[in-house]
Amino acid sequence: MTKIDSIPDAELVSLARRYQAVRDLTERLARPLSPEDQTIQSMADVSPTKWHRAHTTWFFETFLCPKLPSYEPFHPSFGYLFNSYYETVGPRHARPERGLLSRPSVSEITTYRRYVDEAMDRLIQTGLEQTTASLVELGIHHEQQHQELILMDIKHVLWTNPLRPSYFDSPATSPSSAPAPIEFIEQPGGLVEIGHQGSGFAFDNESPRHRVYIEPFAIADRTVTCREWLDFIADDGYQRPELWLSDGWRHVQQMNLTCPLYWSLIDGEWTIFTLAGPRKIDSGEPVCHVSYFEADAFARWAGARLPTEFEWEHAARGCPVSGQLLDLQVLHPRPAGDSSGPRGLYGDVWEWTSSAYLPYPGFRPGSGAVGEYNGKFMNAQQVLRGGCCATPLDHVRRTYRNFFPASASWAFSGVRLAADR
Amino acid sequence: MTKIDSIPDAELVSLARRYQAVRDLTERLARPLSPEDQTIQSMADVSPTKWHRAHTTWFFETFLCPKLPSYEPFHPSFGYLFNSYYETVGPRHARPERGLLSRPSVSEITTYRRYVDEAMDRLIQTGLEQTTASLVELGIHHEQQHQELILMDIKHVLWTNPLRPSYFDSPATSPSSAPAPIEFIEQPGGLVEIGHQGSGFAFDNESPRHRVYIEPFAIADRTVTCREWLDFIADDGYQRPELWLSDGWRHVQQMNLTCPLYWSLIDGEWTIFTLAGPRKIDSGEPVCHVSYFEADAFARWAGARLPTEFEWEHAARGCPVSGQLLDLQVLHPRPAGDSSGPRGLYGDVWEWTSSAYLPYPGFRPGSGAVGEYNGKFMNAQQVLRGGCCATPLDHVRRTYRNFFPASASWAFSGVRLAADR
Amino acid sequence: MTKIDSIPDAELVSLARRYQAVRDLTERLARPLSPEDQTIQSMADVSPTKWHRAHTTWFFETFLCPKLPSYEPFHPSFGYLFNSYYETVGPRHARPERGLLSRPSVSEITTYRRYVDEAMDRLIQTGLEQTTASLVELGIHHEQQHQELILMDIKHVLWTNPLRPSYFDSPATSPSSAPAPIEFIEQPGGLVEIGHQGSGFAFDNESPRHRVYIEPFAIADRTVTCREWLDFIADDGYQRPELWLSDGWRHVQQMNLTCPLYWSLIDGEWTIFTLAGPRKIDSGEPVCHVSYFEADAFARWAGARLPTEFEWEHAARGCPVSGQLLDLQVLHPRPAGDSSGPRGLYGDVWEWTSSAYLPYPGFRPGSGAVGEYNGKFMNAQQVLRGGCCATPLDHVRRTYRNFFPASASWAFSGVRLAADR
Amino acid sequence: MTKIDSIPDAELVSLARRYQAVRDLTERLARPLSPEDQTIQSMADVSPTKWHRAHTTWFFETFLCPKLPSYEPFHPSFGYLFNSYYETVGPRHARPERGLLSRPSVSEITTYRRYVDEAMDRLIQTGLEQTTASLVELGIHHEQQHQELILMDIKHVLWTNPLRPSYFDSPATSPSSAPAPIEFIEQPGGLVEIGHQGSGFAFDNESPRHRVYIEPFAIADRTVTCREWLDFIADDGYQRPELWLSDGWRHVQQMNLTCPLYWSLIDGEWTIFTLAGPRKIDSGEPVCHVSYFEADAFARWAGARLPTEFEWEHAARGCPVSGQLLDLQVLHPRPAGDSSGPRGLYGDVWEWTSSAYLPYPGFRPGSGAVGEYNGKFMNAQQVLRGGCCATPLDHVRRTYRNFFPASASWAFSGVRLAADR
């Protein structure tokens, strides 16, 4: 085979460097966690830290290492244990039982990661065809998704413990001052283009780029704060069925919800649980860990609505992809500043949209097993946009589509309002 | 108040006549059913026939009879027993327990219906303001929806009985000949108008009329037949996860699905349960009682996809609203004829679309309690279009949006394919 | 075959008469119930009235009618539909789905009963061998058990209905005066004989008669009243875990129990639901519809305990089998009179004992399918003794062992205390 | 207070030595287990090793350390986290969530144990009244129970892992030769004494000693082997409902049972999972990890029955308390030798009896919170006798009553047959 399909050396170097950087960051994120911490699964949706560390490694081992002629799998059972949901690849360990595995140990998984890293290093050194390089790229972005999941999941694990332990010590921050009232930014709408274009990386679910007709609308310049959420609570927001979708109201009643996840009313004072442990609520910061049902009910209460994902993407045109993302290492949303125009579109909290997670017209899933990456989940989920304080900076894009079921609230998810015009 | 807002006498006469006709039809549909039959609830989604007869009456009694100055409710507990889901109106009997009520008896409910009919007759005789007339209209269309539900639900009730009893005796039909292969009709798409317009009745969820941009596509000229579904089964359609949405595959495995609801393989021969009892499958007739998950998997297997609700509505422009609907009293889908152009758009089977059930831009629910009619269900359901063999003829419209969860299959639901162009 | 094994003609006549009387009584008990009433199953433990009427018929049809040379089963599916739990006989309809059958109708079951009665009449006329006569006898006693179950079950069915309808109109009774305080009757114990003896009918679980050593004890002269139960409630009996078995406390918390089944506190007044509908509690009448867990907790609270079934049987020696049983048609426990000695041992309420339901030493189940009648249930149930207000008079015996799981309370079950000496 | 109630110094020394020995053994048992291993809870019945280590410590800290004037609890939340079921002591962490706690870490629990050991050392040094010494004694026996539970539970934890890891390396043993056929040893029965007597330690549930009348019976000289169980399987033992209690048959069907827990048929060969990992079955060794339901069904299949706990205790009179117990460190049952007379009564496997776990006549639970130790569990469980290969040698007695629900099989439980005479 000639090298005609291979990617240039400079790109190889860049890819190898990015591979290593992402792999290292995962290890840094896991470092504060003991073997016991890394083993717990607090609910079926949550995976243990050590599982995330192994599964992201399995992705490279399964889809890339076999391209090395002499590659020997690290362990005959890891294909079974660390396959997440790839039916094409074979059977796998049941998701709700990921927390029942004391072995392999945390240190064996460290060894596993090194073993695969070494193989990947060899693979990249030998030069890569374009499709192989694309799979490496996909694996890198896949691992970045799991970096956010490690933080989301361990937050839930620690919260489940009555001791309410912390993941890290964050520097104390002074309470923020109340931000200016929400302003709605007018948007003329029209026939606009939606979806990924260009040569940069994007997931298959962001394509193809296509046209959508949007009616005139307005979008809030910032996300909803805890202060505003306290007003919703005080106005009996969680007790008024007329504010809620029918499924949402059932959810509120079954779970006895009276406030967002990680909030507690202790001796008359609202406390919030963060990755740095519990502390008093900061009323100026964005509300976080609300479900779609809560976001939707809040919007109805506020006389507004949630934006569609198309409105969000359109409104974000021209805004730089920057904000309070994982690289700032705060791991909690921070108050919006007071500049004018849309603020906090990226980082802080994922923003629920009113759009169901569906394929774009002409959508084609990736070929082979990675075709299961996104497409098969396009059912009964809602799209979120913009990334959060646990999203790696170079992972998010304007066209990026995150998705969760309407009842989920353990992601760093918040609310930006929109309105008809 | 002057009579300036009141509707003209001719309209009053027409309304009274339609009220009576719809009320009579409900009773005719219930007539073949014994008191025992009318009492059973075979699953939480199903309601007993006598409940449907009472609930449709409750709708008029609750929203209209109080406009009569001296109206006395028929029974102090019926407001509780027969409220379906109107939080605004008050508490109600739990849905999964509707089949635990032997009282009121079937004959008491007949009395209840007459009592309310008499009051409604008086109300209409006295003249109606426009908003009141609209509520009567809504009540009529509401009862028509329950006419279809009575048939869907009793089919499930009878099927649940190992005796497999029948609802009625239908004349024997000769097996149909195989229809011509599906042809795809090209549609140029573009910026089209979607939703209800004009002065006729429509539910709030069909408004407002708005523009949607549609890419070029093609739509099948007829729905999928049992013959084609047998091919899907023979090709291991129910055993191949790559054909299914992730939630759909879980559903198939949990329920051990191997064929559509109401199909049985008995001594090597496929039998189908109909409202006239079990009989051999007629391979030329439209497949019916498939879930969205099944419809979606079939489409993927066929190398096609489901249409969006916008594509369906657009493709149906210019087609007359006629077909094999409830008035033909067959109560089972019949094979499409062989004329050219789209066939069977109305009647036979509801057609699953790939569209999630969401509000149209600028949607406003009806005011008051009837605002709960549609809007609060706009979550985690899929839209179906076109009506079925159990839908009253004057009930369905091109813009009519039916909706069910993706796993539901006890509606008369089938599949029309579409394709990208 | 000679007639040497056959039973005498006089016994035949008696058997035929008793057969008919029992069959008639079942029909009289069902008569107040509409077709809808007879179809409902309010929980898995409850069976519809029409099922009881059919199942008792099935017992004769299955175990006896085939002895008639030319007997044709009434319906090919009734063996499946009305087998309760006889694995030996074949598969059967799932118990929790008995309330999903509108067909066969109530009137078809009346026809079924007549059909089998006629066959049984022919069978008995032709003369019976002893083993066949014993099976008829067993079928008669089996039907008597179901007479009580019909009343227990329909009470639960009617209670489940928010309308709280009644089964019959009972004559109003004046509230009873408070009975004298409980007296404990001393019993010396010793090595006593337990179990059935003699030639009369008894179930297999009452045999063999055997010796049991009983320590000296004392037994209450009457059962616990509602007044005494109100004291238990007032003393936080349902809130104090130290009074309860561990499983009982879990049951109390899961079910949020604060009083016996069928009690309601309405506007500060205790109301009780009876087969004649709701009425004020009569504090002098025996408490009824308490579970073993409740009975045991009450006894602990009272500084006493429940008797073993051996103590009960021993203490009842010499007491005539009479009391407030089904033949008095009150269908609710009545206050004990004030005579001295043990009162109310038979009738009113079944009395929970502290004995687990286990085989007597040397127990042999009946042979053939009826061996499944009792033995296979000897696990995780408690024995009750003495019959209740819904038990046929000629059905109960001193050695009769009834049994229910510790959490069950829909039987007419009450409490008699005992104490160590 | 004079020292008149205090225990003599020699007893103090002995108590202190035994305290230390038992505490040390717990730590030795946990030593092979990693922090991850010690954190897992594989089902609600199982507790993590670190929980056992903490809970046994909590027992001393809660019931004894407060007798030291200046004792400060180790951690304010450990009372909540490590209370098992003592309602009197206060609220506690939910049992099924014990595996969700990564903190306190395994090493913190080591520190906790040392902290309490030091306090206990001081307490014992200062001299103890009799009641306090009895509580220390109870705490020691309590910890011995948990030593067995640690082994039972970790076996289930490791089995749940598809890697099937081992707890320890046991020396390879050569397969045993088939033992001689079971012989039944005749027992005349009569009025015998049952229960604890004398001054040695016993749990409250072994008292009071009382008389029981036993009919003549026979008891097997050894327990049932794997070979005999294979015969049961081969004779369709798991497919024949007539062999099973009704609840047992439901259990078999719900769990799809076809063999004992920890057995697997791999490539046609029966494999058994032991604490030393999987290996071929040794057909001569006692069958282990069968439920009461299985034991009862096997006995019925064998034409025998299980002994009552009274028969067992009576038959064991005069037999020395010795056998294959924890001190031999095999941690798996071994074949019975071929000596005559009853063999293997102690050790190897706990032997299911047909006796429900009920209070002895005149039973009084211990006073105070430890009254919850046994009495409140006397419901819906079966008694087992004789100890097993994981029971500490000086923990078991002839009168010792172990108990588990009929469906439990993760204890080292086996079968000894009995028969009527």
Side-chain angles (χ1 to χ4, degrees), chain A residues 35-37 39-42 50 75 77 80-81 93 99-106 157-158 160-163 165-166, chain D residues 35-37 39-42 50 75 77 80-81 93 99-106 158 160-163 165-166:
Chain A
E36 295 95 321
D37 290 337
T39 300
I40 302 285
Q41 177 176 39
S42 52
K50 72 173 187 177
H75 188 289
S77 294
Y80 178 83
L81 288 180
H93 193 230
L100 304 184
L101 302 181
S102 61
R103 326 264 179 105
S105 68
V106 163
V157 164
L158 297 173
T160 300
N161 191 323
L163 301 176
S166 61
Chain D
E36 295 95 322
D37 290 336
T39 300
I40 303 283
Q41 177 176 38
S42 51
K50 72 173 186 176
H75 189 290
S77 293
Y80 178 84
L81 289 180
H93 193 231
L100 304 185
L101 302 181
S102 60
R103 327 267 178 104
S105 68
V106 163
L158 296 173
T160 301
N161 190 323
L163 301 177
S166 62

Side-chain angles (χ1 to χ4, degrees), chain B residues 14 36 48 65 82 128 221 240 280 293 343 350 400 416:
Chain B
S14 159
E36 296 95 321
C65 291
F82 300 120
L128 300 175
D221 62 344
R240 290 164 54 187
K280 269 199 277 187
F293 290 136
R343 295 188 301 287
W350 285 102
Y400 194 107
R416 183 183 300 270

Side-chain angles (χ1 to χ4, degrees), chain B residues 315-337:
Chain B
R317 70 196 178 283
C319 297
V321 179
S322 76
Q324 217 254 107
L325 291 143
L326 174 60
D327 57 308
L328 297 192
Q329 301 184 43
V330 176
L331 307 186
H332 197 77
R334 296 292 303 145

Side-chain angles (χ1 to χ4, degrees), chain B residues 69 93 98 186 302 305 344 350:
Chain B
H93 193 231
R98 289 178 187 163
E186 303 298 316
R305 61 170 175 84
W350 285 102

Side-chain angles (χ1 to χ4, degrees), chain D residues 175-364:
Chain D
S176 55
S177 53
I182 289 174
E183 303 251 340
F184 280 88
I185 302 166
E186 303 298 316
Q187 301 280 350
L191 195 60
V192 306
E193 300 225 331
I194 293 295
H196 180 69
Q197 72 178 350
S199 60
F201 176 84
F203 287 112
D204 55 5
N205 64 7
E206 302 168 49
S207 287
R209 190 164 173 90
H210 65 288
R211 280 167 289 181
V212 169
Y213 185 80
I214 299 178
E215 304 280 348
F217 71 105
I219 195 162
D221 62 344
R222 62 165 174 79
T223 54
V224 168
T225 61
C226 291
R227 172 73 264 150
E228 287 152 351
W229 205 271
L230 288 165
D231 293 343
F232 173 67
I233 292 173
D235 198 29
D236 292 334
Y238 284 92
Q239 284 82 45
R240 291 164 54 188
E242 71 272 19
L243 299 174
W244 296 79
L245 286 166
S246 179
D247 288 345
W249 184 241
R250 191 181 311 116
H251 181 68
V252 163
Q253 296 193 293
Q254 278 173 354
M255 311 296 283
N256 282 316
L257 293 190
T258 57
C259 62
L261 179 64
Y262 302 141
W263 287 34
S264 311
L265 189 58
I266 299 175
D267 299 334
E269 187 165 58
W270 283 105
T271 300
I272 195 169
F273 180 74
T274 75
L275 280 166
R279 65 159 164 75
K280 269 200 277 187
I281 227 166
D282 179 347
S283 63
E285 75 188 16
V287 71
C288 189
H289 296 296
V290 294
S291 68
Y292 174 72
F293 290 136
E294 288 169 296
D296 172 80
F298 179 92
R300 195 167 290 111
W301 171 78
R305 61 170 174 83
L306 301 178
T308 67
E309 64 168 320
F310 311 116
E311 289 170 342
W312 193 99
E313 184 171 324
H314 183 57
R317 70 195 178 283
C319 297
V321 180
S322 76
Q324 218 255 106
L325 290 143
L326 174 59
D327 56 308
L328 297 192
Q329 300 184 42
V330 176
L331 307 187
H332 197 77
R334 295 292 303 143
D338 276 340
S339 60
S340 72
R343 296 189 300 286
L345 284 165
Y346 298 101
D348 288 318
V349 291
W350 285 101
E351 301 178 15
W352 284 108
T353 76
S354 64
S355 295
Y357 180 48
L358 292 174
Y360 285 171
F363 168 69
R364 291 286 171 274

